[in-house]
Amino acid sequence: MLSAFHARPIVEFKQRDKSKIESILSFGDKVLVGLHTGTLRIYRINEQTGEAARENGTSHLNPPDEPTLQPNVRPADLLREVEKFSRRAIEQLAIIKEANILISLSDGYVSIHDVQSYALQEQLVKTKGASTFAVTSNIVKDPTTGVPSIVSRLVVAVKRKLLLWSWHDTELSSESPEVTLSAAARTLTWANGTSILCGLNSGYVMVDVENDKISDIIGPGGIGGVASQEGTKFGSIGVTGMGYMGMGSWGPKPLATRLVEGEILLAKDINTLFVNSDGKALDKRQIPWSVAPEAISFSYPYLISLQTPSKGTLEVRNPDTLSLVQSVPLQNANILHVPQSNVSLAHAGKGSLIASDRCIWRLLSVDYNSQVEQLIGNGELDEAISLLGLLEDALVEGKEETLREVKMQKAQKLFGQRKYRHSLDLFTEVSAPAERVIKLYPRTVSGDLAPIDDVVVSDGESALETNTNQAVETLNQNGNSSKPVDDARLSTVGKLKAESKKNASDTSSIRSWIRGDIEGSDTGSVLGKHSETVSSDKPLEGKDLQAAVLELCTFLVDTRTKLQRYLKPDGSLKDTIPNSPDPNDGLWKPTFDSLLITSSSNDIDREEKLRNTAKLVDTTLFRSYMLARPTLAGSLFRIPNFCDPDVVNEKLLESGRYNDLVDFFYGKKLHRPALELLQRFGQADEDERAPTLHGPKRTVGYLQNLPPEMIDLILEFSEWPLKCDPELGMEIFVADSENAETLPRERVVSFLQGVDLKLAVKYLEYLIQELNDLTPEFHNRLVGLYLERLKQREEKKGAKYEDFQNDGERTEWSGKLLSFLRMSRQYSLARSLGLIPRDEPEFYEARAIVLSKMGQHKQALEIYVFKLKDHEKAEEYCNRFHLSQASPVPAAERSSIPSESDHGSSPSIYHILLSLYLNPSPPQTPNWEPALSLLSKHGSRLPASSTLDLIPSSLPIRDLESYFRGRIRAATSVINEGRIVIGLRKTETVESQAVLLLGDENSGGKGGRNRRVVVGEERVCGACHKRLGRSVISVLPE
């Protein structure tokens, strides 16, 4: 069992001394002893070397078994003996330090003495028949001024009454209120500064001394309330349930003691109840006492109870787990005294005393670090965890680090018991290193890490040593490895690991260590008592392996989330890595370094360890998914991950999960292996293992997602989709995506031209028409490709480019060429004109368009008139040019005789066409019909003088009727338009004058200059409020 306390006798009466101890009180380094004769003895305790340090739980030099005693130094010296302190036995002693008084209970009276001289100051007459009392001191702020003061209270139980006295600082209050209970109080315990807990024969009540409010405590058996009346084995059949009058006081005394954080323990007979400071029951089980205790108290951090004098045993229990951790034999001990926290602020039971009729023992606490080591060495991990949770950080060296290590060992024990969920939850709680957890699994999950099921350790080596070595390395990487540590001052965790190595030397495998750890654990551990011991010799496989792996997935996902706080998807660090905290400063928390894997080389920096840890976590998570939930493996690849490509490739190929393998390669940016795999399955016959990979569709989708920097790879693997399905393959380059739009266009055009001219044309059309690319080179190339395709002849069939399938396709391409030549302004005119054949009728119109853009209108019209002989296109050409050059001219400025103003300017486009009709160059002959049609339609746009000069004198006038009619109509239209404009302007002028004189239509004829203002005798100025009268005024329009 644990050695938490050591009882040292400090006072022993000699044989000739017939006195008996009735009460004791610890006050500083003094002990006040009340005897049955009414004598008060005062002893001074002599501190031994190292004893004070152990009392505060901070000694690390001496073993915990025995204190180091100095020779010829007595434990205590008798300072004074007050023989006539009281006439009868001194039943109870207490002190109120702030008021400098000593309070005693003797002969049924409570008396007040001076704490220095022990002289009687006052005997409280009202307390006649008192059975017990209780004192408390608290700091209270004044509700009006807010000034803090020390308020001490004394409550005395006199039969069914409670009498209260209070001191404010050192002044006794004049008021002494009383509270009447339903029965006599046998014990009194202060729950807080204003509430007193009273133990009655029938149960417990909570009394608020400020407002005299009394509330019952509801509990099991003899505790009180409704539950005590039920027919349970703790109620009516118990000793306190007997109905004889006068026998109630024979039963066990109702006990109570304050614990930590406002908890109070109530005990009567063998029944217990935990309540808060308000008297509300807490959800905690009862203490498993077999015999009712004589006294109970709280000595930080343990609950101690004194058994009956016949047993003479002090029991030490953990108030959290309620398990018995130590039994200290003390012959005939019947008095237990532990100062409350408001009297003694020291930890570890300093001032805790136990007494019999003739002897007094002092409880000395063993060093807390040693206690933790003992519990861990005994396999009582739950007790060690509970103790570390109860102790303050300053009392244990490296508390948080030690607690974390113990929890990880407990998690390993639970894993050996097949309690995978509890084990992995505990590993997650303490942020255990992933490497340590993964090693618990077989090779199918842990990979190259030491597998549990497959590794057998030699006689001179233990598997536990491997685990503990890893834990030591984990701690060393947190900053402790560089510090030389004295063996006498080893930290708790260091001793724990050294002890674990020694104890595990006989084990042959990790599994056998886990089993031995479980079997050798003490029953004081709560979980150890109730856990079902499972044989660990059976290898981890089947359903057990599935269940363990599923829980491992949860742990790895949590660890992965923590790693993402520091690591970017590309493997670089987000921020500066936090420095390793010092585990000896009491502020250690599981942080960055707790996540890293251990390494035998100190040269590997923490950043590299972080990446290695991320790789281990993701690779193991992948193995776990493949083993337990294969459908979830794909989701891991669709997010940034650090899986080992070799492991993933091997596993996915074995299972035939080619789609997931492609996704993984993409996520890891291993594009070439992915594209080779897609090409292999895409070009082969349809495979049942990967039907979705057949054909070019998946390859096209993959290439579309590649960035422009991978242009070499895109062009290399896009050739076979383009040949297999050109329409689908072109989606790589013309899709509506950022990647397609930002590809190197020059390289793409050259590549597509090498594959198929039609694909290059399609891509160039996409660039120019969809993306509005104005690069002249692309425009020139598109013109050249159009012409190259159109200039092919039948004799070239079977060469590099195929001919058109039919005339309709050729006509379509010819139309695209003409349309592009008209639309684009970026291509080189001279270069394009040189590419267009001069004597092929199919390209006449194309040459005419290029000549038109070059300003060679006469040559362009000659092609339309003499080569194409298409007069409508020639006229249409003139119309387009006229509209592009025309600018709107006001009607008033137009001349009705435009011909006279054109004598110094270049001839119009219609004049050029007319001259080609009437005066063509030899060997062409005049063409009267289109010329007369042109004069009829556009005669008004031709200069009259030059036009008539072109007309031969032999032409009859009647043939020119339509020409003259058109010119007259045009001149008349100009004149009429001018007249209409003049009339409209006159109307506008009249309307404006009417508005000026009469106002608009909304004023009813009283607006404008016709507006009137009547100034009466009461009219005042709007600004100065002066009466206007006959003053000269001005009326503003608004």
Side-chain angles (χ1 to χ4, degrees):
M1 299 183 73
L2 175 65
S3 179
F5 292 101
H6 172 74
R8 180 170 69 91
I10 58 174
V11 175
E12 294 183 83
F13 291 174
K14 297 180 180 180
Q15 291 291 337
R16 64 176 179 271
D17 190 350
K18 303 303 180 181
S19 301
K20 293 183 179 180
I21 300 174
E22 292 289 337
S23 60
I24 55 176
L25 173 66
S26 175
F27 173 49
D29 61 345
K30 298 178 181 179
V31 176
L32 280 62
V33 182
L35 305 180
H36 78 292
T37 60
T39 301
L40 179 68
R41 291 181 182 177
I42 299 95
Y43 293 88
R44 181 184 64 203
I45 301 176
N46 297 319
E47 299 287 351
Q48 302 295 329
T49 303
E51 187 175 290
R54 278 193 305 277
E55 287 177 348
N56 290 326
T58 57
S59 174
H60 311 291
L61 299 176
N62 299 320
D65 297 332
E66 293 291 340
T68 302
L69 299 177
Q70 295 180 355
N72 302 325
V73 177
R74 290 184 295 181
D77 294 328
L78 178 61
L79 298 179
R80 184 178 177 183
E81 184 172 349
V82 184
E83 294 185 353
K84 295 183 179 180
F85 185 81
S86 175
R87 293 183 302 173
R88 295 183 182 274
I90 305 173
E91 301 175 14
Q92 189 176 353
L93 292 171
I95 190 171
I96 299 179
K97 180 180 178 181
E98 292 74 19
N100 201 29
I101 59 175
L102 175 67
I103 302 174
S104 66
L105 172 62
S106 177
D107 196 19
Y109 286 94
V110 174
S111 303
I112 301 176
H113 306 262
D114 183 76
V115 77
Q116 300 296 333
S117 63
Y118 307 106
L120 178 64
Q121 292 183 352
E122 180 183 0
Q123 186 179 60
L124 303 178
V125 181
K126 295 174 62 176
T127 61
K128 181 180 180 180
S131 58
T132 185
F133 69 86
V135 297
T136 185
S137 297
N138 298 276
I139 298 177
V140 179
K141 287 187 178 181
D142 187 277
T144 56
T145 62
V147 178
S149 62
I150 299 177
V151 178
S152 303
R153 290 187 171 93
L154 165 66
V155 62
V156 182
V158 181
K159 298 181 181 180
R160 295 174 55 189
K161 291 185 178 180
L162 293 182
L163 306 180
L164 179 67
W165 284 267
S166 60
W167 286 261
H168 292 269
D169 293 331
T170 59
E171 296 181 1
L172 176 63
S173 175
S174 58
E175 299 179 357
S176 56
E178 299 180 2
V179 179
T180 302
L181 305 177
S182 59
R186 298 184 63 187
T187 57
L188 299 174
T189 305
W190 284 99
N192 51 50
T194 60
S195 299
I196 185 75
L197 187 64
C198 305
L200 314 179
N201 286 329
S202 58
Y204 293 85
V205 294
M206 183 76 74
V207 180
D208 191 330
V209 298
E210 289 189 337
N211 54 24
D212 299 339
K213 180 181 178 182
I214 302 175
S215 56
D216 294 331
I217 305 296
I218 306 299
I223 295 297
V226 178
S228 65
Q229 306 301 325
E230 297 178 356
T232 65
K233 68 176 183 177
F234 303 108
S236 60
I237 303 178
V239 176
T240 58
M242 299 178 65
Y244 267 94
M245 181 179 296
M247 295 185 65
S249 61
W250 291 9
K253 184 187 297 185
L255 306 176
T257 183
R258 291 172 59 180
L259 305 177
V260 293
E261 299 179 356
E263 288 188 13
I264 303 173
L265 171 63
L266 310 181
K268 190 170 184 184
D269 198 355
I270 61 173
N271 300 309
T272 59
L273 178 67
F274 290 88
V275 298
N276 58 19
S277 58
D278 297 328
K280 304 297 182 182
L282 302 177
D283 186 16
K284 295 185 70 172
R285 65 189 185 90
Q286 294 196 40
I287 299 177
W289 277 321
S290 58
V291 179
E294 185 75 13
I296 61 173
S297 189
F298 179 72
S299 180
Y300 183 90
Y302 294 105
L303 172 66
I304 58 177
S305 61
L306 190 62
Q307 299 299 325
T308 56
S310 60
K311 287 192 172 186
T313 303
L314 179 71
E315 291 187 353
V316 182
R317 292 182 179 271
N318 186 320
D320 183 24
T321 63
L322 306 182
S323 57
L324 178 64
V325 297
Q326 185 183 9
S327 293
V328 182
L330 300 172
Q331 186 177 5
N332 299 324
N334 59 356
I335 301 174
L336 175 60
H337 171 70
V338 177
Q340 297 298 327
S341 59
N342 56 357
V343 177
S344 176
L345 299 179
H347 293 293
K350 183 176 182 180
S352 301
L353 302 175
I354 302 171
S356 64
D357 290 345
R358 303 182 58 79
C359 183
I360 301 176
W361 294 271
R362 186 185 185 196
L363 283 181
L364 299 177
S365 175
V366 177
D367 172 36
Y368 292 134
N369 293 288
S370 300
Q371 294 184 36
V372 173
E373 292 171 13
Q374 290 180 50
L375 291 172
I376 297 173
N378 296 334
E380 302 177 26
L381 301 181
D382 290 300
E383 293 298 330
I385 293 172
S386 177
L387 178 59
L388 288 169
L390 293 173
L391 294 173
E392 295 181 2
D393 294 349
L395 301 179
V396 181
E397 182 182 2
K399 172 188 170 181
E400 293 295 338
E401 181 187 8
T402 305
L403 179 61
R404 178 171 179 264
E405 175 61 30
V406 176
K407 286 185 176 181
M408 285 193 287
Q409 291 198 16
K410 179 186 175 183
Q412 289 181 215
K413 177 188 291 187
L414 293 172
F415 193 90
Q417 297 172 353
R418 300 291 197 262
K419 297 181 178 179
Y420 306 116
R421 172 164 297 182
H422 297 296
S423 173
L424 272 297
D425 286 347
L426 195 54
F427 276 127
T428 302
E429 177 187 340
V430 299
S431 298
E435 182 182 16
R436 182 169 183 172
V437 180
I438 295 170
K439 283 184 177 180
L440 298 174
Y441 288 80
R443 180 174 295 275
T444 55
V445 177
S446 59
D448 293 336
L449 295 179
I452 294 178
D453 296 315
D454 302 339
V455 174
V456 177
V457 187
S458 63
D459 295 336
E461 182 184 7
S462 75
L464 175 60
E465 183 173 356
T466 303
N467 247 349
T468 53
N469 279 337
Q470 173 205 349
V472 173
E473 291 172 1
T474 303
L475 295 174
N476 287 341
Q477 75 180 5
N478 291 339
N480 297 332
S481 58
S482 61
K483 288 188 177 181
V485 182
D486 195 319
D487 292 341
R489 286 194 166 273
L490 281 175
S491 65
T492 302
V493 179
K495 292 180 180 178
L496 163 63
K497 293 174 176 52
E499 185 68 21
S500 298
K501 292 181 183 180
K502 182 177 69 175
N503 293 341
S505 60
D506 297 329
T507 57
S508 61
S509 68
I510 296 177
R511 284 294 190 192
S512 62
W513 164 71
I514 296 176
R515 180 186 58 192
D517 194 15
I518 298 170
E519 294 174 352
S521 62
D522 194 272
T523 55
S525 174
V526 175
L527 291 180
K529 289 181 180 179
H530 302 286
S531 61
E532 180 182 356
T533 303
V534 182
S535 175
S536 299
D537 290 333
K538 181 181 178 181
L540 190 60
E541 60 185 7
K543 293 183 178 180
D544 283 341
L545 180 58
Q546 290 278 340
V549 168
L550 287 176
E551 299 303 329
L552 177 64
C553 292
T554 304
F555 168 80
L556 293 175
V557 169
D558 180 80
T559 304
R560 194 174 189 275
T561 303
K562 294 174 182 176
L563 292 173
Q564 288 175 350
R565 301 174 186 171
Y566 310 102
L567 206 58
K568 294 180 180 179
D570 59 355
S572 60
L573 295 179
K574 289 185 177 179
D575 300 307
T576 303
I577 300 179
N579 294 325
S580 300
D582 185 3
N584 295 322
D585 62 1
L587 301 175
W588 192 90
K589 299 289 182 184
T591 53
F592 173 79
D593 290 291
S594 66
L595 303 172
L596 302 182
I597 64 174
T598 57
S599 176
S600 58
S601 174
N602 295 327
D603 297 333
I604 301 179
D605 59 2
R606 299 166 72 207
E607 181 177 349
E608 184 65 23
K609 287 183 179 179
L610 178 60
R611 282 191 283 267
N612 293 339
T613 303
K615 181 179 180 180
L616 173 64
V617 169
D618 284 357
T619 304
T620 307
L621 182 60
F622 162 72
R623 287 194 180 105
S624 302
Y625 280 155
M626 291 299 296
L627 182 63
R629 292 287 186 271
T631 55
L632 297 179
S635 61
L636 179 62
F637 304 146
R638 298 184 187 98
I639 59 177
N641 62 83
F642 297 92
C643 294
D644 188 347
D646 295 335
V647 174
V648 175
N649 188 30
E650 179 184 357
K651 287 287 184 181
L652 293 181
L653 287 177
E654 288 178 1
S655 58
R657 299 174 63 89
Y658 301 105
N659 281 303
D660 291 337
L661 184 57
V662 171
D663 291 337
F664 171 74
F665 282 147
Y666 178 81
K668 300 298 291 183
K669 297 184 179 180
L670 301 174
H671 302 302
R672 179 171 292 277
L675 290 168
E676 289 175 351
L677 182 66
L678 290 172
Q679 183 175 3
R680 178 161 62 90
F681 281 94
Q683 292 181 329
D685 295 336
E686 187 171 352
D687 194 334
E688 295 181 356
R689 297 175 298 174
T692 57
L693 300 184
H694 179 67
K697 184 175 181 180
R698 187 67 188 275
T699 302
V700 170
Y702 193 100
L703 293 173
Q704 284 178 326
N705 292 321
L706 294 182
E709 295 79 14
M710 310 294 296
I711 183 62
D712 293 331
L713 206 61
I714 294 173
L715 298 181
E716 178 181 352
F717 287 93
S718 61
E719 184 172 356
W720 78 267
L722 288 170
K723 293 180 179 180
C724 180
D725 189 344
E727 189 71 22
L728 179 62
M730 281 302 296
E731 291 297 318
I732 301 172
F733 308 103
V734 300
D736 187 12
S737 65
E738 183 179 357
N739 288 342
E741 295 177 3
T742 54
L743 289 173
R745 297 173 181 178
E746 179 64 33
R747 294 195 59 185
V748 174
V749 172
S750 300
F751 167 75
L752 292 176
Q753 189 173 354
V755 176
D756 191 340
L757 179 145
K758 292 182 289 185
L759 300 180
V761 170
K762 184 175 183 180
Y763 182 69
L764 289 171
E765 291 176 346
Y766 163 76
L767 293 180
I768 296 172
Q769 298 174 9
E770 299 293 334
L771 303 184
N772 195 27
D773 193 326
L774 301 180
T775 305
E777 178 61 28
F778 293 151
H779 289 249
N780 290 329
R781 181 169 289 191
L782 182 57
V783 173
L785 293 178
Y786 278 142
L787 292 172
E788 187 176 354
R789 182 87 195 282
L790 290 170
K791 287 190 294 184
Q792 295 178 55
R793 292 293 182 265
E794 288 296 331
E795 59 270 22
K796 292 184 180 181
K797 188 172 183 179
K800 186 176 181 181
Y801 305 112
E802 296 182 359
D803 290 328
F804 298 103
Q805 296 180 359
N806 49 53
D807 293 340
E809 183 181 358
R810 188 177 186 87
T811 303
E812 179 183 357
W813 275 71
S814 179
K816 289 181 179 181
L817 172 63
L818 299 179
S819 177
F820 180 74
L821 291 175
R822 292 192 186 98
M823 178 268 300
S824 176
R825 296 185 178 181
Q826 306 301 323
Y827 62 88
S828 172
L829 299 176
R831 178 179 175 182
S832 299
L833 186 63
L835 294 175
I836 300 175
R838 298 175 59 89
D839 301 326
E840 294 186 16
E842 185 178 5
F843 300 101
Y844 285 162
E845 187 171 0
R847 287 186 63 84
I849 295 173
V850 175
L851 290 172
S852 171
K853 285 184 171 291
M854 297 176 68
Q856 305 294 329
H857 302 293
K858 184 174 182 180
Q859 297 180 24
L861 289 174
E862 285 178 349
I863 293 175
Y864 283 114
V865 174
F866 301 125
K867 292 184 177 181
L868 291 177
K869 300 185 182 302
D870 192 338
H871 306 297
E872 294 182 358
K873 288 186 177 182
E875 184 178 347
E876 182 181 352
Y877 173 87
C878 295
N879 292 338
R880 283 198 304 268
F881 180 79
H882 176 77
L883 293 177
S884 64
Q885 298 295 322
S887 58
V889 180
E893 300 179 5
R894 295 181 190 176
S895 173
S896 59
I897 310 174
S899 60
E900 304 303 329
S901 62
D902 296 334
H903 286 292
S905 61
S906 59
S908 68
I909 190 68
Y910 295 102
H911 186 272
I912 295 174
L913 179 58
L914 182 63
S915 63
L916 292 177
Y917 286 148
L918 297 179
N919 292 324
S921 300
Q924 305 296 335
T925 58
N927 198 338
W928 300 105
E929 183 176 355
L932 294 175
S933 176
L934 181 65
L935 289 172
S936 175
K937 295 177 181 179
H938 306 286
S940 59
R941 298 175 180 175
L942 296 171
S945 58
S946 58
T947 300
L948 293 176
D949 291 339
L950 292 175
I951 298 173
S953 57
S954 60
L955 185 66
I957 295 298
R958 62 176 179 271
D959 294 339
L960 297 176
E961 179 181 0
S962 58
Y963 165 70
F964 292 117
R965 192 186 301 274
R967 293 216 29 113
I968 293 172
R969 286 178 177 174
T972 304
S973 297
V974 171
I975 295 173
N976 291 338
E977 183 178 351
R979 291 175 179 174
I980 293 173
V981 170
I982 293 173
L984 291 174
R985 288 181 176 176
K986 288 182 178 179
T987 303
E988 183 181 6
T989 302
V990 172
E991 290 181 354
S992 300
Q993 291 176 350
V995 171
L996 178 63
L997 294 175
L998 304 177
D1000 55 14
E1001 58 184 6
N1002 296 327
S1003 61
K1006 297 182 179 180
R1009 294 180 179 178
N1010 197 30
R1011 180 183 177 190
R1012 297 178 182 180
V1013 178
V1014 179
V1015 180
E1017 295 181 357
E1018 303 299 329
R1019 191 70 177 267
V1020 296
C1021 177
C1024 64
H1025 303 288
K1026 180 181 178 181
R1027 184 177 297 178
L1028 297 177
R1030 297 183 179 180
S1031 302
V1032 178
I1033 61 173
S1034 298
V1035 179
L1036 300 178
E1038 61 274 5

